[in-house]
Amino acid sequence: MTAATHSTLFPRTPDTPDAVLEGLDPEQREVATALHGPVCVLAGAGTGKTRAITHRIAYGVRAGILQPSSVLAVTFTNRAAGEMRGRLRQLGAGGVQARTFHSAALRQLQYFWPKAVGGSLPRLVDRKIQLVADAAAACRIRLDRGELRDVTGEIEWSKVTQTVPADYALAAAKAGRETPRAPAEIAQLYAAYEDLKRDRAVIDFEDVLLLTVAILQDRHDIADQVRSQYQHFVVDEYQDVSPLQQRLLELWLGRRDNLCVVGDASQTIYSFTGATPDHLLDFRTRHPGATVVKLVRDYRSTPQVVHLANGLLSQARGRAADHRLELISQRKGGPEPVYTEYTDEPAQAGGAARRIRDLIGAGVRASEIAVLFRTNSQSETYEQALADAGVPYQLRGAERFFDRPEVRRAIVNLRAAARFGGNDSRLDDADDLPSQVRAVLSGEGWTTEPPAGSGAVRERWESLAALVNLAQDFAAAKAAAGTTGTPGITGTAADTAADTAAVSGATLADLVAELDERAGAQHAPTVEGVTLVSLHSAKGLEWDAVFLVGVAEGMMPITYARTDEQIEEERRLLYVGVTRARERLHVSWSLSRSPGGRPNRRPSRFLDGLRPGSTGTVGRSAAVGSGGVERGFTSPVGAVPRRTQRTPARCRVCGRTLTDAGEMKLMRCEDCPSDMDEGLYERLRDWRAVQAQRTGQPAFCVFTDKTLMAIAEGVPDDEHELARIPGVGMRKLNRYGADVLAICAGREVAEDADGD
């Protein structure tokens, strides 16, 4: 590690209040010195908001204006809280509490429960889905895996919006939520779920906030005790606050206004969980005398990336768009974003993998590259493509790192090796920490070379490799800290290794202590592999190179986003994805899902007028080869032209002659890959049920399941295309055609429409 690198990773603790302010831009400095009264910081992506608020706290502490123990900084993830604590320690404000809402509330609940209620706090359940399944069984309601997940989400939404079971149906309708089951059924399940929790004496994640709110509301003596402890509050990512979290914040504050909030309405992407930017946007109304500072200098991304991000928001509509921030890049120029169209999803994944392999070959670290997608179901194709290309990768948003069985076993073995020391034969030939860790983990399946392919074996190896890499970073950081006498961390994934006493010669015991601390904060080590992550889970992260994949209509915006508000949230989600990139940005889409599938997809409307060659209206990709749009790698199986005849019927995927009536309706073999739009299929089924009820006939008399599947696969644009689908005759075309085409186009069907 060079002296320059060390000074960057481990800056010296500032010795005066003014030294804390060094290096801040004028707006960041304004935030740091605004220590009194309500403060609202509107901070765009990459503008250094964490730097501004941590320096604000540290400046107040070093100037003697704030007492460290009286400050509570609140954010939304353990990772962000850990990073904030690390920065504060480095700035000389180590006594400040930086926690998530739930973590802070849980500490208070555990402390005050015996006094407020008596006895021990009920057990906290990590995952509520099994309880929801048990509640469904008690109600004799069958839920498949997807419905279990969706109903669980509805219960969580209800609780953070402080909606009780009896009010669920009305609240869901008012909020315009698309419920996975009938609202009355969900209300019944919600009530049964709450009964089960009481019977089993357990609480869930949302109860932590609800119970803390209830105690602070009912016990003024306890509320006063909390308020005497915390005098000053800082809330990061304020656009993501739910009504329940806002209520808890108000109870913490009481009648005081020593509050600093930081957020960006253009990064509101969690409204489905109850989050709302209204608290941020209404802050100045609730606090007329508030100091408002805007951070718009983008230090993360190149001007080319920032230009695209600004362009996305320039087309936005709605209240959040009215308060958008125009970012100004502070970096030197970089490459233009690359837009690529592929024939199908496997071709798209293969193309991304090849580009990634080339980047790594050119010197870009694999951990500085990410593939971002809209839904987790898209991940598997990219996992396989990267494995085939020999590129290491890691999945984010799946099982938490320290909860993985192989990680827990590895830590147990490392702890045992640390305890027995020289009596452990595995360490006989290992004379430093990294080689000791490699020796211990080799018995768990770690090897110098990764296993071939993807899947569970590869994931286990990646977990162990992350521990090996952490040991190397930890040993280097300890040695550097011991040499320079500069302890502390900056809070990034690579730097946290120095967060112990500054001595040279790291030991296994030191590493185990570091792992225990990281596990408590769920601060996973950096894995030297390409990151595969959903757009929602990518919030708060950044990489040198970002591949935004599947940016097509039906996926971005997602099919079930129908209202203007939902569409705009999808635009903001893409904005978040774009602003994760520091230098290189690749945007791609495919014309069909499977090789040989019908090429009926089109690039996302959000790219219209932004990608080279496109116009301001939704349409097909511009001519390839000019205007900067690149042709993707051609799939081994080319796109099949649309059929002009119905006979002989052949599978549009593999070409086999079809004889089964159901297969002939689908125009493919039952076993061949489908590129069906599942969301469209479900909407068609819902519409069919209404039609059947109105006419008093079985649902299949309207359209059979196979016909609906064929429609959802073909997504016809007009009556001519709809009429060519087997099962849609002239009579049904005349009766139902307008409705079906409206549904395919994403429009609402009139309430009184019955097709007559």
Side-chain angles (χ1 to χ4, degrees):
M1 182 182 294
T2 66
T5 301
H6 182 269
S7 65
T8 300
L9 296 181
F10 307 110
R12 294 187 179 277
T13 301
D15 51 10
T16 66
D18 287 343
V20 175
L21 303 178
E22 292 178 2
L24 301 182
D25 68 31
E27 294 79 23
Q28 292 172 342
R29 182 179 288 255
E30 185 179 355
V31 172
T33 55
L35 295 174
H36 300 287
V39 178
C40 179
V41 182
L42 302 176
T47 57
K49 65 179 178 65
T50 305
R51 177 179 175 83
I53 58 178
T54 51
H55 281 69
R56 177 181 186 271
I57 295 170
Y59 177 73
V61 170
R62 301 304 295 272
I65 299 171
L66 303 177
Q67 294 299 315
S69 60
S70 71
V71 180
L72 178 59
V74 187
T75 187
F76 280 80
T77 67
N78 286 317
R79 178 185 178 278
E83 180 178 350
M84 193 177 292
R85 286 194 296 270
R87 294 196 189 195
L88 288 169
R89 282 194 293 268
Q90 180 58 50
L91 292 169
V96 173
Q97 292 291 309
R99 297 188 173 276
T100 64
F101 268 103
H102 284 87
S103 173
L106 182 59
R107 281 170 61 90
Q108 294 175 18
L109 194 60
Q110 289 170 331
Y111 184 81
F112 290 112
W113 185 269
K115 179 179 180 179
V117 181
S120 300
L121 181 69
R123 180 174 62 87
L124 178 64
V125 294
D126 291 331
R127 298 176 71 250
K128 59 175 66 69
I129 197 163
Q130 184 56 54
L131 273 173
V132 176
D134 293 344
C139 296
R140 297 186 177 182
I141 297 175
R142 293 191 60 183
L143 299 176
D144 61 30
R145 183 178 301 178
E147 289 174 322
L148 266 176
R149 184 181 61 248
D150 293 342
V151 169
T152 300
E154 288 303 295
I155 291 174
E156 292 172 349
W157 172 82
S158 299
K159 300 185 79 164
V160 300
T161 56
Q162 303 175 80
T163 302
V164 298
D167 297 337
Y168 169 78
L170 182 61
K174 185 176 180 180
R177 294 185 73 81
E178 293 202 16
T179 58
R181 299 290 290 249
E185 278 190 328
I186 295 178
Q188 181 186 4
L189 290 166
Y190 180 13
Y193 169 81
E194 292 296 313
D195 290 340
L196 271 180
K197 284 202 293 99
R198 281 189 292 271
D199 292 343
R200 299 178 184 181
V202 297
I203 59 175
D204 63 24
F205 209 46
E206 289 71 40
D207 289 331
V208 171
L209 300 184
L210 285 165
L211 292 170
T212 306
V213 165
I215 289 175
L216 295 179
Q217 284 180 159
D218 296 342
R219 293 291 299 266
H220 299 293
D221 57 329
I222 292 177
D224 290 341
Q225 191 173 344
V226 172
R227 291 167 191 158
S228 67
Q229 169 69 46
Y230 296 115
Q231 305 288 326
H232 196 97
F233 296 86
V234 177
V235 183
D236 193 13
E237 303 289 1
Y238 194 55
Q239 77 279 351
D240 292 332
V241 167
S242 70
L244 179 57
Q245 290 165 332
Q246 175 65 21
R247 179 58 184 146
L248 178 59
L249 179 61
E250 291 168 354
L251 288 166
W252 282 339
L253 275 168
R255 296 181 180 276
R256 301 166 299 176
D257 61 1
N258 290 328
L259 171 66
C260 174
V261 300
V262 188
D264 178 10
S266 296
Q267 296 188 66
T268 305
I269 59 173
Y270 298 111
S271 65
F272 60 92
T273 67
T276 170
D278 290 344
H279 304 301
L280 174 66
L281 299 178
D282 293 338
F283 189 84
R284 283 167 286 184
T285 301
R286 298 196 310 275
H287 304 278
T291 298
V292 179
V293 184
K294 294 183 179 181
L295 302 182
V296 296
R297 301 174 195 253
D298 188 321
Y299 297 94
R300 175 188 299 159
S301 304
T302 63
Q304 289 76 12
V305 173
V306 168
H307 178 71
L308 175 58
N310 286 336
L312 281 171
L313 293 188
S314 70
Q315 301 176 359
R317 301 291 182 268
R319 193 174 183 215
D322 294 340
H323 295 81
R324 71 185 182 89
L325 300 169
E326 186 84 13
L327 298 178
I328 304 171
S329 176
Q330 304 299 297
R331 296 191 55 179
K332 65 180 182 180
E336 291 289 341
V338 176
Y339 301 86
T340 312
E341 181 177 278
Y342 294 91
T343 56
D344 51 67
E345 287 186 8
Q348 184 177 194
R354 283 186 283 270
R355 288 177 183 268
I356 290 170
R357 186 177 58 195
D358 291 343
L359 285 177
I360 295 173
V364 180
R365 293 181 60 181
S367 59
E368 290 297 344
I369 304 173
V371 178
L372 309 186
F373 35 75
R374 177 61 180 83
T375 66
N376 287 319
S377 62
Q378 296 169 268
S379 172
E380 184 177 359
T381 304
Y382 292 89
E383 292 176 54
Q384 189 60 57
L386 290 171
D388 291 344
V391 175
Y393 65 87
Q394 61 167 325
L395 288 171
R396 289 192 70 101
E399 186 178 29
R400 296 193 297 187
F401 182 83
F402 288 101
D403 291 340
R404 298 174 186 174
E406 65 271 17
V407 173
R408 288 191 293 204
R409 286 195 303 270
I411 294 176
V412 167
N413 284 332
L414 290 170
R415 182 174 287 111
R419 184 181 303 118
F420 293 111
N423 295 322
D424 192 324
S425 61
R426 293 174 296 183
L427 307 183
D428 289 346
D429 298 324
D431 55 3
D432 60 13
L433 177 63
S435 57
Q436 289 171 354
V437 171
R438 287 192 290 267
V440 172
L441 298 188
S442 62
E444 293 297 309
W446 180 82
T447 56
T448 55
E449 294 296 327
S454 60
V457 173
R458 179 61 175 261
E459 289 179 22
R460 285 195 294 271
W461 184 90
E462 295 287 0
S463 297
L464 299 177
L467 295 175
V468 171
N469 292 335
L470 175 63
Q472 294 171 174
D473 291 342
F474 183 80
K478 290 277 281 186
T483 301
T484 63
T486 310
I489 61 171
T490 63
T492 63
D495 306 335
T496 319
D499 189 24
T500 49
V503 294
S504 59
T507 67
L508 269 177
D510 294 333
L511 179 64
V512 169
E514 168 70 11
L515 289 170
D516 287 342
E517 182 175 340
R518 281 171 168 264
Q522 284 299 330
H523 190 174
T526 300
V527 176
E528 193 52 49
V530 174
T531 301
L532 296 175
V533 62
S534 72
L535 284 162
H536 282 100
S537 297
K539 180 76 166 64
L541 304 174
E542 59 186 74
W543 298 269
D544 284 344
V546 167
F547 287 74
L548 281 169
V549 299
V551 188
E553 287 292 305
M555 193 60 72
M556 182 59 66
I558 199 75
T559 305
Y560 50 76
R562 302 179 187 177
T563 68
D564 290 343
E565 291 180 358
Q566 292 168 338
I567 295 294
E568 288 307 312
E569 180 145 339
E570 292 288 299
R571 185 192 304 276
R572 294 193 295 270
L573 186 58
L574 183 58
Y575 171 80
V576 166
V578 168
T579 54
R580 299 310 94 194
R582 298 191 192 106
E583 298 177 5
R584 297 176 176 86
L585 180 63
H586 295 256
V587 183
S588 64
W589 59 92
S590 63
L591 297 178
S592 67
R593 173 179 297 176
S594 306
R598 188 175 182 183
N600 56 7
R601 293 179 176 178
R602 58 194 180 195
S604 170
R605 70 191 75 175
F606 300 145
L607 300 178
D608 290 338
L610 300 176
R611 59 185 175 87
S614 67
T615 63
T617 59
V618 175
R620 293 277 184 188
S621 171
V624 176
S626 61
V629 181
E630 298 184 16
R631 170 68 69 186
F633 296 100
T634 304
S635 168
V637 181
V640 176
R642 293 182 178 180
R643 292 177 54 83
T644 57
Q645 299 179 8
R646 291 192 181 182
T647 55
R650 295 185 181 277
C651 174
R652 55 188 168 83
V653 179
C654 70
R656 183 179 69 85
T657 300
L658 302 175
T659 56
D660 178 81
E663 291 183 341
M664 291 173 68
K665 283 191 175 183
L666 294 177
M667 294 306 296
R668 64 171 174 81
C669 303
E670 194 76 42
D671 296 330
C672 280
S674 166
D675 56 357
M676 182 178 72
D677 184 330
E678 287 90 353
L680 174 57
Y681 177 66
E682 291 303 321
R683 293 201 304 277
L684 288 167
R685 281 174 57 88
D686 292 342
W687 165 83
R688 182 183 65 176
V690 173
Q691 299 301 318
Q693 184 177 20
R694 285 175 176 167
T695 58
Q697 59 182 338
F700 67 83
C701 291
V702 181
F703 286 120
T704 65
D705 285 347
K706 284 292 195 298
T707 299
L708 291 187
M709 290 175 66
I711 294 172
E713 290 184 357
V715 195
D717 293 326
D718 52 39
E719 288 188 351
H720 177 69
E721 291 187 0
L722 179 58
R724 292 167 56 193
I725 294 176
V728 181
M730 188 56 64
R731 183 180 63 83
K732 291 187 177 182
L733 180 66
N734 292 335
R735 186 168 189 175
Y736 302 121
D739 281 9
V740 171
L741 291 172
I743 295 169
C744 290
R747 300 192 302 270
E748 293 293 330
V749 177
E751 287 289 332
D752 58 349
D754 61 6
D756 290 331

